[in-house]
Amino acid sequence: MDNIADPKILQELVSYKMPFGKYKDCYLTDLPVYYLEWFERKGFPPGKLGLMLSTIHVIKTNGLTQLLEPLKRCVGR
């Protein structure tokens, strides 16, 4: 997924919150993998939210979450 290489996407990803559902107001980076896998099966939403969810899904399922830690600290998380 080419979006992972874009630092702007990653910077925004660490501060983006889920806008609806069971995990409303939860940071996308804190969503459980099973929830992201459900979206993958059912289809990610269109637009920016879908891009963000699919990006965090790839990051988490490939064991790359440690790459987000410095960005979280930069935004005060």
Side-chain angles (χ1 to χ4, degrees):
M1 173 167 252
D2 293 333
N3 298 322
I4 292 177
D6 185 348
K8 290 179 184 176
I9 297 263
L10 294 177
Q11 289 171 345
E12 191 170 7
L13 186 62
V14 297
S15 58
Y16 205 90
K17 292 185 178 183
M18 191 66 185
F20 61 84
K22 180 179 181 178
Y23 292 99
K24 183 179 180 185
D25 295 327
C26 179
Y27 289 104
L28 297 188
T29 56
D30 295 338
L31 292 173
V33 172
Y34 75 85
Y35 190 62
L36 298 166
E37 289 171 341
W38 179 86
F39 270 111
E40 183 185 39
R41 286 190 306 275
K42 298 295 183 181
F44 291 107
K48 186 176 192 172
L49 178 59
L51 173 67
M52 296 295 200
L53 288 170
S54 65
T55 301
I56 193 62
H57 175 260
V58 169
I59 290 170
K60 284 191 168 204
T61 57
N62 286 288
L64 301 172
T65 53
Q66 75 278 5
L67 298 175
L68 299 176
E69 293 307 316
L71 293 170
K72 285 182 179 181
R73 286 191 296 275
C74 285
V75 297
R77 286 198 41 221

